[in-house]
């Protein structure tokens, strides 16, 4: 059975994810990797210029985050190729848009995860179960400027 746990960052339930169950593949947010006991695939679906905002505005913190991305060995999906992030994989945007019926609307990193999972299934990967943890989507500050 192929099970996928998609993790956000909400503290209300991220701790309930099946970290200790190796039958689950854990997909999470790259900037929250330290909050997860385990992760298999990570997503950084913000443009590099946005990392400063997401990391609290400090250059020091952004530099540490960039270094962490550079050192990662697990796959990290990015919007575009970043030559200094060896584990980076360019997110297959056009294919995901196509598999979603040519819809171009992605409202959060979780939407990108779900679209990729649908694409993976179309490509032949078996998806038996999908679980969502740490996904409350209650934040107005991010939503207001990211929504098209």
């Amino acid at each position: 059975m192929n099970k996928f746990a998609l993790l956000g960052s909400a503290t209300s339930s991220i701790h309930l994810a099946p970290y200790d169950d190796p039958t689950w593949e854990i997909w999470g947010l790259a900037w929250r990797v330290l909050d997860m006991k385990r992760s298999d695939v990570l997503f950084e679906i913000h443009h590099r210029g946005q990392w400063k905002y997401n990391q609290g505005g400090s250059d020091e913190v952004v530099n540490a985050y960039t270094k962490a991305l550079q050192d990662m060995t697990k796959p990290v999906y990015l919007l575009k190729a970043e030559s200094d992030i060896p584990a980076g994989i360019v997110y297959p945007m056009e294919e995901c848009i196509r598999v979603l019926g040519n819809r171009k609307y992605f409202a959060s990193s979780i939407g990108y995860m779900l679209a990729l999972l649908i694409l993976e299934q179309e490509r032949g990967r078996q998806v038996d179960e999908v679980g969502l943890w740490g996904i409350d989507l209650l934040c107005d500050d991010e939503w207001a400027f990211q929504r098209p």
Side-chain angles (χ1 to χ4, degrees):
M1 195 153 146
N2 293 309
K3 301 186 285 188
F4 298 85
L6 279 54
L7 277 54
S9 61
T11 57
S12 60
S13 62
I14 192 170
H15 64 286
L16 300 173
Y19 297 109
D20 297 325
D21 184 344
T23 66
W24 285 85
E25 185 171 311
I26 308 283
W27 290 16
L29 306 170
W31 68 94
R32 299 302 292 213
V33 71
L34 296 178
D35 298 329
M36 297 180 274
K37 289 183 187 177
R38 173 173 75 85
S39 60
D40 300 301
V41 178
L42 296 168
F43 290 76
E44 176 46 90
I45 303 296
H46 297 90
H47 294 284
R48 197 173 196 132
Q50 186 65 34
W51 298 356
K52 186 170 185 172
Y53 170 81
N54 292 342
Q55 297 302 317
S58 160
D59 287 336
E60 182 178 331
V61 174
V62 172
N63 291 338
Y65 176 63
T66 302
K67 174 81 168 91
L69 288 175
Q70 292 166 341
D71 293 343
M72 286 185 183
T73 57
K74 59 193 77 182
V76 181
Y77 280 94
L78 305 164
L79 286 179
K80 67 180 194 114
E82 298 285 353
S83 61
D84 62 334
I85 301 174
I89 300 170
V90 176
Y91 184 85
M93 182 66 79
E94 294 305 316
E95 287 181 273
C96 286
I97 290 170
R98 179 193 53 75
V99 80
L100 294 175
N102 292 317
R103 290 183 179 91
K104 297 180 182 179
Y105 185 77
F106 293 86
S108 70
S109 296
I110 306 307
Y112 286 87
M113 289 182 197
L114 287 166
L116 182 61
L117 195 55
I118 293 167
L119 177 63
E120 288 292 310
Q121 187 170 26
E122 183 189 72
R123 291 174 171 171
R125 190 162 187 198
Q126 186 173 339
V127 177
D128 297 310
E129 189 171 346
V130 178
L132 306 174
W133 287 271
I135 303 171
D136 291 352
L137 300 177
L138 296 175
C139 180
D140 289 334
D141 62 331
E142 185 175 20
W143 178 262
F145 71 86
Q146 287 185 349
R147 185 173 180 183

